[in-house]
C-alpha cells in the first residue's frame, strides 16, 4: 500500500508544482525581473571603477549569459518546482502512511489536508521568519555555504522541535485533557524554535538601498507559491489516498 | 486524539488487517522515497551553490528562479 501512496504523493507534488509555477509566473517573476534590473544597474559601473576585479565581481559579465531569462522563467522554473514538489510530495506521503491511524483517527482527506497545513507552517513559514526568502541581488556569494547550512539547520530544527513537542504531548495527554496537552506541545515547540533561532547566526545581506516594497512583494509571492504547492498536495493526495484505502478495503 | 469537526467529516477508513499501515510495508518505500527526495532537493537547492558536483554554473542558472523562490540561498 505504501508504494501506491508514495507515487501518488510524488504525483500530487508535481501537480502542485505546475499550479505553483503558474502562480509564480504571475506574481513572483515580475519581482525577480525587477531585482535583476536592480542588480544590473548597481553592478554596471563596477568594471570601470576597478577593471582588475571585474572577473571576480559577484555578477559575471553580462554578455556571457549561460541560461537565458526566458529559459529560467520557463523550463528552469517548472523543472525546479517539479523536482521540489516530487521530493516533498513523496516524503509527505510517507509521513501520511506512517501517521494514518497512528496520529488520531481522522479520515484520509482531513488528515492529508491538516498534515499539509502543518508541514507548510513547519517547513516554510517558521524557517522563513529567521531566514526569509531573498530575491536576486540580495546575498553575498562568499557566504552561500554558511547560509545554506543555516537554512537547512533551521528547517531541521523546526521539524525536530515538532517531533519532540508531539512526543511530550502524547506522554502528557490525559483523557479529556488533550486540549491542554496540545497547548503544552505548542509552547514547547515555540520555546525550542525560539531558542534555536536565537542561537543560529543572524544574516542580513540586503543592500541598504534595495527597494523595501520589492523585497516585501517578492517574499509574499514566494510564500504564496509554497502555499499553492502545499494546498494542492493536501487536497489532491487526500482524494487519491482515500481511493487507495477504499480499494484495499474492498479487496 | 479524537478530533471530530463538522468541516472535516470524512470518515476514517480502517487499514486492512491492522489499525495502521505496518512499518514493514512502509520501510522499503521510505528508503526509496527519501533517497529520491534528497537527490531532487540537492539539485534544486545546493548544486553549484554551496557544493558542486559538476563543473560550471549551468545547473545553478537553470534552476535559478526556483531556488530563490523556494527560499534556498542562491548566490
Amino acid at each position: 500500500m505504501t508504494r501506491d501512496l508514495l507515487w501518488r504523493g510524488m504525483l500530487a507534488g508535481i501537480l502542485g508544482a505546475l499550479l505553483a509555477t503558474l502562480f509564480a509566473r504571475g506574481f513572483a517573476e515580475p519581482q525577480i525581473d525587477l531585482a535583476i534590473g536592480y542588480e544590473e544597474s548597481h553592478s554596471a559601473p563596477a568594471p570601470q571603477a576597478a577593471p582588475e576585479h571585474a572577473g571576480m565581481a559577484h555578477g559575471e559579465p553580462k554578455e556571457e549569459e549561460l541560461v537565458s531569462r526566458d529559459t529560467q522563467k520557463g523550463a528552469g522554473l517548472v523543472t525546479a518546482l517539479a523536482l521540489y514538489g516530487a521530493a516533498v510530495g513523496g516524503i509527505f506521503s510517507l509521513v501520511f502512511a506512517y501517521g494514518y491511524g497512528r496520529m488520531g483517527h481522522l479520515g484520509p482527506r482531513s488528515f492529508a489536508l491538516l498534515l499539509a497545513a502543518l508541514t507548510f507552517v513547519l517547513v516554510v513559514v517558521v524557517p522563513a521568519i529567521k531566514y526569509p526568502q531573498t530575491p536576486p541581488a540580495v546575498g553575498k556569494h562568499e557566504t552561500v555555504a554558511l547560509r545554506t547550512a543555516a537554512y537547512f539547520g533551521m528547517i531541521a530544527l523546526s521539524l525536530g522541535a515538532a517531533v519532540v513537542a508531539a512526543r511530550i504531548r502524547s506522554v502528557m495527554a490525559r483523557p479529556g485533557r488533550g486540549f491542554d496537552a496540545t497547548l503544552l506541545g505548542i509552547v514547547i515547540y515555540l520555546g525550542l524554535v525560539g531558542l534555536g533561532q536565537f542561537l543560529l547566526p543572524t544574516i542580513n545581506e540586503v543592500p541598504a538601498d534595495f527597494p523595501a516594497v520589492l523585497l516585501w512583494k517578492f517574499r509574499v509571492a514566494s510564500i504564496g507559491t509554497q502555499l499553492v504547492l502545499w494546498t494542492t498536495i493536501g487536497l489532491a493526495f487526500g482524494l487519491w489516498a482515500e481511493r487507495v484505502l477504499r480499494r484495499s478495503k474492498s479487496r | 486524539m479524537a478530533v471530530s469537526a463538522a468541516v472535516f467529516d470524512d470518515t476514517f477508513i480502517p487499514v486492512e488487517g491492522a489499525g495502521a499501515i505496518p512499518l514493514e510495508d512502509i520501510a522499503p518505500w521510505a528508503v526509496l522515497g527519501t533517497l529520491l527526495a534528497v537527490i531532487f532537493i540537492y539539485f534544486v537547492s545546493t548544486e553549484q551553490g554551496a557544493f558542486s558536483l559538476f563543473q560550471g554554473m549551468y545547473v545553478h542558472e537553470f534552476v535559478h528562479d526556483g531556488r530563490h523562490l523556494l527560499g534556498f540561498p542562491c548566490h
Side-chain angles (χ1 to χ4, degrees), chain A:
Chain A
M1 179 177 293
T2 311
R3 186 192 63 178
D4 296 344
L5 292 175
L6 175 61
W7 78 259
R8 279 170 178 79
M10 296 179 82
L11 211 60
I14 292 170
L15 178 68
L18 296 180
L19 296 178
T21 306
L22 291 179
F23 180 90
R25 277 305 290 253
F27 295 96
E29 286 297 347
Q31 322 307 331
I32 296 182
D33 284 338
L34 286 172
I36 290 174
Y38 167 92
E39 189 174 30
E40 283 171 353
S41 73
H42 281 65
S43 64
Q48 288 162 358
E52 64 270 28
H53 294 303
M56 292 171 63
H58 163 61
E60 292 294 300
K62 249 196 296 182
E63 55 271 21
E64 54 164 297
E65 204 176 46
L66 209 51
V67 177
S68 75
R69 279 298 297 142
D70 284 342
T71 308
Q72 284 184 339
K73 285 185 194 177
L77 177 65
V78 77
T79 307
L81 290 182
L83 284 173
Y84 181 80
V88 296
I91 301 276
F92 175 83
S93 70
L94 294 168
V95 177
F96 178 95
Y98 175 78
Y100 184 74
R102 285 190 178 89
M103 305 172 188
H105 284 246
L106 289 167
R109 296 185 65 192
S110 302
F111 184 55
L113 189 59
L114 283 177
L115 193 62
L118 184 68
T119 314
F120 174 72
V121 172
L122 294 181
V123 174
V124 179
V125 176
V126 168
I129 291 168
K130 176 76 180 179
Y131 300 121
Q133 301 85 353
T134 56
V138 174
K140 301 189 188 82
H141 188 66
E142 309 84 78
T143 60
V144 72
L146 168 74
R147 287 182 290 129
T148 302
Y151 185 61
F152 278 109
M154 187 60 235
I155 294 174
L157 168 74
S158 175
L159 290 173
V163 170
V164 170
R167 278 282 152 78
I168 293 177
R169 184 209 167 275
S170 64
V171 169
M172 298 299 284
R174 299 282 175 274
R177 311 296 288 173
F179 193 100
D180 294 337
T182 304
L183 288 182
L184 177 69
I186 291 172
V187 168
I188 288 167
Y189 172 78
L190 291 176
L192 288 173
V193 164
L195 180 68
Q197 292 199 341
F198 177 73
L199 294 174
L200 279 166
T202 302
I203 292 163
N204 177 16
E205 298 178 350
V206 181
D209 63 344
F210 193 86
V213 173
L214 174 54
L215 194 61
W216 166 255
K217 282 186 176 170
F218 174 84
R219 284 172 178 169
V220 170
S222 170
I223 290 177
T225 304
Q226 288 266 16
L227 187 60
V228 171
L229 174 69
W230 286 104
T231 308
T232 312
I233 290 178
L235 293 176
F237 181 80
L239 270 176
W240 293 336
E242 187 182 45
R243 272 201 228 160
V244 171
L245 288 159
R246 282 244 168 82
R247 206 179 48 197
S248 79
K249 202 184 156 201
S250 64
R251 224 187 273 152

Side-chain angles (χ1 to χ4, degrees), chain B residues 22-44:
Chain B
L23 289 180
E24 308 88 81
D25 187 74
I26 297 177
W29 301 106
V31 173
L32 176 71
T34 308
L35 190 70
L36 286 175
V38 167
I39 295 168
F40 290 174
I41 290 178
Y42 171 78
F43 276 100
V44 176

